[in-house]
Amino acid sequence: QTHDNIVFLSELIEDLTTLSRAERDDLHIKRKIVNTAQFMEELARDYRSQAEAKKLKLKLECPDNLSNIFVGEHELREIMQNFVTNAIKYTNKGTITLRAEQSDDGVRLAVSDSGIGISASDKTQIFSKFYRSEDYRTRATNGTGLGLYITQKLAEKMGIQVTFTSRLNHGSTFGVLIPGRISAEDPRTLAAGAQQRLSEIGTEK
């Protein structure tokens, strides 16, 4: 019990530190060109052992035609790590799937699970600060109720969209849409184009 409490306090301190960064108006995000496939492969590698410890299968689905992305890599990693850890935490059997897809609007990254899912009443609250579901299965696990709130804040700072679908007892899918298409042929020009598109999104909001 002491160990569990120490782990919880450590997670709380980490979440509060990240929350402070996410809520600062002067947060400076260092955007760079990121190899999407490599990013997802590293994410899968980092969490495969945790999934296997719960006897869950972790899959990675990345097509060959993926373009690179122009993002704050550190912030994007925090977002995707939150999706993966939640998927593992709330899935007792089945599969966790990390997926990257090319679309007309950019690149979609998502994490799907076969876990407990989210009720209709919880769906409107899950991005609220400190919110945790009343579902007894959620209450049985440690959590600060800050993960998805921080995720939403970081996504807003980067001008990317968070999406999710879920059905109670049938799993959830959380993802982000990263606008723009970046290739290796002319990274500076295309990165500038992606930055312009991000600025346009911020203006539209």
Side-chain angles (χ1 to χ4, degrees):
Q1 186 175 1
T2 301
H3 175 267
D4 290 344
N5 288 337
I6 291 172
V7 171
F8 173 76
L9 288 173
S10 176
E11 291 176 349
L12 178 60
I13 291 170
E14 184 177 351
D15 281 350
L16 289 173
T17 302
T18 306
L19 175 63
S20 176
R21 291 179 57 248
E23 290 189 326
R24 284 207 318 265
D25 291 334
D26 62 343
L27 174 64
H28 178 64
I29 295 175
K30 297 180 180 179
R31 291 185 173 88
K32 58 183 286 190
I33 296 175
V34 175
N35 183 299
T36 308
Q38 182 178 333
F39 176 87
M40 294 296 284
E41 288 167 2
E42 292 174 354
L43 190 67
R45 180 200 62 201
D46 291 345
Y47 285 92
R48 183 161 280 112
S49 61
Q50 288 189 30
E52 291 175 349
K54 287 191 67 176
K55 302 187 185 307
L56 301 172
K57 182 178 181 180
L58 192 148
K59 298 196 305 182
L60 174 62
E61 298 179 359
C62 284
D64 295 332
N65 66 337
L66 277 177
S67 65
N68 295 335
I69 49 180
F70 186 59
V71 293
E73 183 177 12
H74 178 72
E75 288 76 16
L76 180 62
R77 191 174 300 277
E78 289 189 57
I79 290 173
M80 296 303 295
Q81 285 176 341
N82 185 62
F83 292 159
V84 178
T85 54
N86 279 350
I88 295 173
K89 182 185 295 185
Y90 299 119
T91 303
N92 293 321
K93 62 179 181 179
T95 303
I96 309 294
T97 303
L98 280 60
R99 183 180 296 108
E101 299 175 333
Q102 193 74 51
S103 74
D104 292 338
D105 298 326
V107 177
R108 295 180 184 273
L109 308 181
V111 179
S112 300
D113 63 63
S114 55
I116 64 176
I118 303 170
S119 69
S121 59
D122 284 332
K123 286 180 180 179
T124 60
Q125 301 291 328
I126 60 171
F127 291 103
S128 300
K129 189 189 295 186
F130 295 115
Y131 182 79
R132 297 202 75 210
S133 171
E134 293 296 330
D135 191 315
Y136 72 93
R137 294 169 296 183
T138 299
R139 295 290 177 172
T141 62
N142 287 330
T144 63
L146 287 171
L148 289 177
Y149 176 80
I150 292 171
T151 290
Q152 184 79 330
K153 286 294 182 181
L154 290 176
E156 289 174 358
K157 296 288 185 181
M158 288 195 290
I160 63 179
Q161 178 185 357
V162 176
T163 61
F164 83 97
T165 59
S166 185
R167 182 181 170 196
L168 191 62
N169 299 321
H170 288 79
S172 305
T173 297
F174 282 84
V176 289
L177 171 61
I178 304 164
R181 297 171 67 93
I182 313 298
S183 69
E185 284 75 10
D186 191 2
R188 286 178 297 179
T189 301
L190 291 170
Q195 179 65 69
Q196 176 62 34
R197 176 56 185 147
L198 290 171
S199 299
E200 291 171 357
I201 292 174
T203 303
E204 291 169 2
K205 289 182 178 180

